[in-house]
Amino acid sequence: MGTRVLTMPEPLWQGLPPVDPLSVSGSVSCTLPPRYESVGGARKFTRETLQGWDLDELFDGVALVVSELVTNALRHAVLSPAEAPAPSTRVPEPRTPEGTVGTTSARLHLMRWSSRLICAVRDPSDASPVAAEADSAAESGRGLYLVESFSDSWGWHRLTGTLHGKIVWAQFRLP
């Protein structure tokens, strides 16, 4: 699962913290099928990538952030709003950028520099991520708070040009 590349597409650079693009020491990405099971696949892809980069000690925090970003992309941008996050026996229909059913998916990118790691999830929605106020008994609604708590910084930006959607990213300092 995934594509290992030396550079990343130009639109992914937009809105990320300032870095020298020539100093990227590793960049990988994978397409996430439009189903909630993709969250587990994203964690597995992250574990394998971090092991390959000798960054195993970062896995717990990075995996939690990847899980939240991927879940948000699937829930709010890819899967139909009628689908609940609870397990289902049928595969939900993906949404297109306009909100109609289609074949759009999300994509996970992991990028490593000498002093930082960026996790970014691209999805087809132009809507900004919103940190909701979760009721103390609620089982969801805290994802972006977890991303903020476990990463050193996070942000997002809309894609421009012919691309539709957005990228939500989180940054981690490397030991």
Side-chain angles (χ1 to χ4, degrees), residues 3 5-6 13-14 19 26 30 39 44 54 58 64 82 88-89 105-106 118 120 132 149 160:
T3 306
V5 294
L6 297 176
W13 291 112
Q14 302 168 2
V19 292
C30 68
V39 177
K44 181 179 182 215
D54 293 324
L58 296 179
L64 183 134
S88 173
T89 56
S105 60
I118 303 267
S149 296
T160 60

Side-chain angles (χ1 to χ4, degrees), residues 4 27 33 46 49 58 61-62 66 72 82 84-85 91 99 102 115 122-123 136 160 166 168 170 174:
R4 302 195 187 289
S27 177
T46 300
T49 299
L58 296 179
V62 173
V66 163
N72 284 350
V91 176
S115 63
R122 185 177 69 199
D123 71 48
S136 62
T160 60
K166 69 177 170 297
V168 182
L174 297 180

Side-chain angles (χ1 to χ4, degrees), residues 44-107:
K44 181 179 182 215
F45 179 77
T46 300
R47 178 182 296 280
E48 291 169 355
T49 299
L50 293 180
Q51 285 174 340
W53 290 342
D54 293 324
L55 296 172
D56 304 56
E57 68 276 11
L58 296 179
F59 176 73
D60 292 335
V62 173
L64 183 134
V65 167
V66 163
S67 294
E68 294 300 333
L69 295 179
V70 169
T71 298
N72 284 350
L74 293 171
R75 179 178 289 159
H76 301 293
V78 176
L79 300 175
S80 65
E83 287 298 323
S88 173
T89 56
R90 72 179 186 88
V91 176
E93 293 293 327
R95 286 190 278 186
T96 64
E98 295 79 31
T100 59
V101 174
T103 57
T104 306
S105 60
R107 189 160 186 86

Side-chain angles (χ1 to χ4, degrees), residues 3-27:
T3 306
R4 302 195 187 289
V5 294
L6 297 176
T7 61
M8 67 182 137
E10 183 64 30
L12 194 52
W13 291 112
Q14 302 168 2
L16 291 177
V19 292
D20 176 7
L22 299 177
S23 68
V24 172
S25 60
S27 177

